[in-house]
Amino acid sequence: PPTYPPPPPPTPPPRPLRRQRQMCIRDRPSGFVDSAGVFADDIERLAASGITNGCGERLYCTSRAVTRGEMATFLARALGESPTSPLAGPPPDDGCCDEGRVGVLAHAQSWMDPYTSGGHWSFIRQHYDSMIVYEPYWDSRLDNYDDVFAYRDLYGIAVGSSRANDNPEWLLRDGAGNHVYIPWGCGGGSCPQYAADLGHAGFRAHLVDHVRSLVARGYGGIMLDDVNMAWRFGTSSGATAQPIDPRTGQVMQLADWQRYVAEVLELLRAEFPDVRIMTNVIWYADSPGFTNGSIDRAIAAVDFLMLERGATDRGLTGGTGTYSLRRFLDYVDRAHELGTDVLFLDQGDTTVRDQMYNLAAALLVSEGNDFAGTERRGMIAPTSFWAGFDTDLGDALGDRRVDGTVLRRSFTDGLVLVNEPGAATVTVPLGEPMLTVDGDVVTSVTLHGREASILVRT
């Protein structure tokens, strides 16, 4: 697709704070700044359990010997003499932070209809944290399950629909006056959706009205598809097209299109501050710099980003290149910095090994509010649900770390190990017996390239 030199990115407007992120273990006073090294995870676990408070403000003093009095205090707390000892009962629930669990989201396409016609609502409410659904089918099911995102394409208008026929001024055209389409599902010289002009005030008002009707019917979220922030315009045969920008009369520039997308999302956020908004993204549209102001604005305006294909995307590589797994995870970090959570959506005919990899990658960056899911119906349907989705490793003991080609992250109740795509096979000693998701006790794990392990402390 064509690219254009972008102008200097505009300064994003201040974003209203919609939620306060919780302070987690690594941000607490007990998160020692000098505990790096081979025993870092153990020290953090001792601090999280209340056994040690360190030697000063956020310091553990790893190079200083422990006195007899300090060791006596450690032992007394560990044996139950301290109300914060793990043997004295669980600590009070402070709501923080559970990064070791990723919420489960199901995409309720037509294959899900037999399960949403009755008889499975108890399972759905117990195992699914949210769903992407379709109106008007779901209108009559909101009383059974309302923690949903109603699907809508951001700028697609169905060919032959009343919206297209009654509002031709909303439709983008090329320099010859031909309609411009969304290049998806095209065949036989036609595509199913026109590309709408996101800069048109009438189309923006129509979008606001549609979300308002969703809210009136009881929907609390919307999933907007095709928020790619990359060049996605086609001819009737699906070839790349260059639409004319009605505001300039010239070929539309990518930077202007990205700005229109950001403006529309900010408009929806301003109009509906309590509605959860999810958008799909092409994460590498701003790689490797992550400096595009319009893309930052688009991310900051919504609650969730759908990462289509998730970490199971076969295009992800090892190392630190533009399309590497590490850059992909850096993008998620950037979204979190902007206050937005993510959905790792595995797509395609994938295996249990793939599900493990996708979920493990999500746990590497989790802040406790993200989702994972799959469109492999045989692994997420109520009658064949993969038990790994219910994994909960507790609170994170820090951020992910890199050891050669292995990315790892420790939690109060477990450990995640991810070997990069294309990496050589490695064996990782655990230092203690741990349980696999399948319930096997292991003291080491062997990982091939593009393979992961999620382990629970015994």
Side-chain angles (χ1 to χ4, degrees), residues 226-264:
D226 283 324
V227 185
N228 300 309
M229 303 304 273
W231 200 256
R232 291 295 185 270
F233 299 105
T235 66
S236 59
S237 61
T240 299
Q242 293 183 306
I244 297 299
D245 189 331
R247 278 149 297 285
T248 65
Q250 304 297 316
V251 172
M252 184 175 289
Q253 302 296 298
L254 177 59
D256 289 330
W257 171 252
Q258 292 171 337
R259 176 168 52 83
Y260 297 150
V261 173
E263 289 172 352
V264 168

Side-chain angles (χ1 to χ4, degrees), residues 20-58:
Q20 184 70 39
R21 289 193 173 273
Q22 297 169 324
M23 180 177 293
C24 302
I25 285 177
R26 61 182 176 276
D27 300 318
R28 296 174 185 169
S30 58
F32 305 121
V33 297
D34 63 342
S35 61
V38 66
F39 297 114
D41 293 343
D42 300 304
I43 292 171
E44 290 299 330
R45 289 179 67 195
L46 290 172
S49 300
I51 294 174
T52 180
N53 296 319
C55 64
E57 186 176 358
R58 305 201 70 183

Side-chain angles (χ1 to χ4, degrees), residues 174-213:
D174 62 18
N178 300 312
H179 285 116
V180 174
Y181 300 82
I182 293 180
W184 181 87
C186 304
S190 64
C191 301
Q193 294 183 98
Y194 295 123
D197 176 16
L198 286 179
H200 194 285
F203 181 74
R204 292 184 178 189
H206 158 74
L207 183 57
V208 169
D209 288 343
H210 180 229
V211 177
R212 185 170 289 115
S213 74

Side-chain angles (χ1 to χ4, degrees), residues 439-450:
D440 298 324
V441 179
V442 295
T443 56
S444 66
V445 174
T446 298
L447 299 174
H448 302 290
R450 199 177 169 276

